[in-house]
Amino acid sequence: MNNIKINFSEIVQTPAFIYSENALLSAFSNFNKNFYGLCIDQIFPLKSHSFSSALVLIAKYVDGFCVSSLFEAKLTREFIGEKKRVHFTSPGLREDEIDELLGLCDSFSFNSLSQWERYKDKAIGCVGCALRINPQLSFVKDRRYDPCRTHSRLGAPLNQIQETLDTDPAVFKGIEGLHFHTNCDSVDWEPLLKTVEHLDKQIPELLRQCQWINLGGGYLFDGNIDFTPFEDAVFLLQNKYGLQVIIEPGAAIVRDACNLVSSVIDIIPSDGKQIAVLDTTVNHMPEVFEYQFSPDILNENEDGEYSYILEGSTCLAGDHFGEYAFDTPLEIGSKIIFTGMGAYTMVKAHMFNGINLPSVYALTESGNLLLQKEFTYEDFRNRCGVTANNESLRNTIKLKNYRQKHRVA
Ligand SMILES: Cc1ncc(COP(=O)(O)O)c(C=O)c1O
């Protein structure tokens, strides 16, 4: 979206997420180009991005959605209706939500054998039933993001499945699909092929029994990435086992479709450097803090003459974006534009310190900037447990009395 001109005088207030409809469309056309002729289904995971008007646009290009909670399932049905398929998987499936979820979803990947055993009688015949497996092949270096690590709760471990296939194969009666998600931001499809080949060797009987397999997300469809390993994996699954192949990429679709625009609200000299404080915070993009990386910024230039440490506006010492250089000096009101802000940002953003959430704008296909959502003090007070209007009125009156008594302006 960064070659699209935005007239920032149009933005009423920063911080603001701006998602570009054209960037979303180009992500889908990139997807179609790369996967053309492979006969695979694509579903979109709400966990990566769940802003409703973007979902309505995304719905035109995908076969369905993947949800991980009752709220995500309800939201999907509310905005997408009955037309698209909704698939559920979560380690957090609850007894008191299962009936409603079964009514909302078309298919379930049960996350563990015990989840499956507990709910299969309700689920069989009601939704398509699958099992999420942990192939126990790790490709992610950072343990915190590795779904295949030792003691992972994400999917039934392959050795447990093999053991059960040997001792009590009837457990798998009713399973018609398999699901795995084992990578994170990979720009190499080789791990996916290795995983599929591993399953082919280890659990061919289970693959034979199934009608479909969901290969998860975790891969970026970068321009230069070699798709041959992916094609080989799909070929194996389709030709040897006759499986319908499904993928559920999130970040690859939405990450580059959104920017976050913020303003400089203070500049502080500190120990020989200049700190620019922004009206946003790492809490609007929590993965910056979780992963400790510096997000990309438009118009930064590492050889630029003017260098700043960019920090957020909360009291958290670690509310820090990184050190950046620019060709022109920053001043109060300068705009800082973070790029690649479409995935795992809005969905994870929170209001720590009472800092408001960014507004959300859509940059439409025709180039108009439309305000979609503004957050207010009401959103904050609702989360803080203020419910009855009269309660807040009472407190406003009390506050007025206090201010009069203490002569607060
Ligand atoms: C089960 C599952 N599927 C799909 C995804 C989407 O992954 P990504 O956004 O990296 O493509 C995730 C992300 O955590 C996931 O847990």
Side-chain angles (χ1 to χ4, degrees), residues 45 47-48 66 89 132 179 181 185 216-219 248-252 344:
K47 60 171 76 78
S48 62
C66 168
T89 189
R132 177 170 176 175
H179 185 182
H181 166 81
D185 284 354
Y219 290 82
E248 45 184 21
Y344 306 102

Side-chain angles (χ1 to χ4, degrees), residues 254-267:
V254 288
R255 179 172 290 145
D256 289 335
C258 187
N259 288 351
L260 189 152
V261 184
S262 64
S263 301
V264 175
I265 54 173
D266 198 7
I267 297 178

